[in-house]
Amino acid sequence: AKLGTVGPAADAASARVTAAFSRAGVIIGASVAGGIFAATKAVEAFVRAANEQENANVRLQQTLRATGQLSRAYYDQLSALSAQFQRTTRYGDDAVLSVERQLVAFGAAPNQIKKLTAATLDLAEGMGRDLSGATLVMGKALAGEFGTLSRYGILVDENATRAQKLAQVQEQVALRFGGQSTAGIRTFEGRAGQLSKALGEVHEELGFVFTKSEVLNRILEHGASAVFDLAERVGKWREANANVIDQKFVAFGEWFDGFLAGLPEHASGA
């Protein structure tokens, strides 16, 4: 995902929106915010897809930051890699970003990440495991724990260095399961899955029309403030008029009781 900046035009437009909220007052401002919320609900599927992608991006950025590897170049590299694997395997880019994020957290270096990600995808397919499980196994190997892989017949030389052991793991995964993750998309089910992912990308991009709009985000921000103000005013009005409200309810109860008393006891039959 591209990290955009707010241009002067967007700043000017959002400033006009802010001023409009101030002039309109709390109730009108809240009504406008409600209308925007309703419009957003109408494209909920698109917005949800965009939010899921954005959340995956943010988690990846946070992991890169925590491991001291955050840079625009590396982030873009990982994003491009996830898009590449999305086209060549049955896994979506969100899932691949999650694999990359966890491998980075376990200590994968930039020059290792592509081969390790490919090995993880092949391992998941070859072992018939879910992707998160295969990622955990590969992550443990990165951390120096190779016992789990031995259960699947992937053995390493105990006298080798950690780097050598990791290279041995990648070689054996390639030997046993190489190409497994790409083979699946050459079936009817795989091609149908690719089409579904492609449609999902369209949903994401349509959702980004809304979620990445700086003006719309500011409108929602000020709209939320207006609704909070409205809630506060309603609460103060309720407290100030508690006795009047109770009197109105008592009057309604008396009227309703009289209404019921005036009804015939038995309805006449045909």
Side-chain angles (χ1 to χ4, degrees), residues 68-222:
Q69 300 182 75
L70 180 61
S71 70
R72 181 59 179 266
Y74 193 27
Y75 172 78
D76 286 347
Q77 175 190 334
L78 293 174
S79 295
L81 188 61
S82 68
Q84 175 188 330
F85 280 122
Q86 176 172 244
R87 285 178 173 269
T88 58
T89 74
R90 70 181 182 89
Y91 298 106
D93 57 349
D94 290 9
V96 178
L97 282 174
S98 179
V99 171
E100 294 172 346
R101 176 178 60 81
Q102 293 179 70
L103 292 176
V104 167
F106 276 112
N111 63 348
Q112 297 175 307
I113 196 68
K114 183 174 182 178
K115 289 184 177 180
L116 286 172
T117 301
T120 302
L121 300 180
D122 283 338
L123 188 64
E125 290 292 315
M127 295 191 310
R129 293 194 60 167
D130 61 276
L131 193 54
S132 61
T135 305
L136 180 60
V137 170
M138 192 61 71
K140 287 182 177 180
L142 267 167
E145 199 279 281
F146 300 91
T148 305
L149 283 165
S150 66
R151 301 174 192 169
Y152 301 95
I154 298 176
L155 305 175
V156 297
D157 181 358
E158 293 300 325
N159 297 317
T161 65
R162 181 185 296 186
Q164 290 171 335
K165 290 177 180 179
L166 186 61
Q168 291 171 15
V169 166
Q170 293 179 75
E171 290 171 2
Q172 292 185 58
V173 169
L175 181 64
R176 294 167 184 266
F177 308 123
Q180 292 274 0
S181 61
T182 59
I185 66 171
R186 295 193 289 271
T187 65
F188 178 85
E189 180 182 8
R191 293 184 180 101
Q194 290 298 95
L195 177 58
S196 177
K197 284 191 296 182
L199 291 172
E201 286 297 297
V202 174
H203 280 197
E204 287 178 10
E205 291 302 325
L206 289 172
F208 285 145
V209 170
F210 297 89
T211 64
K212 289 187 175 296
S213 167
E214 292 293 341
V215 173
L216 181 56
N217 273 278
R218 292 189 184 190
I219 290 174
L220 291 174
E221 178 184 352
H222 291 290

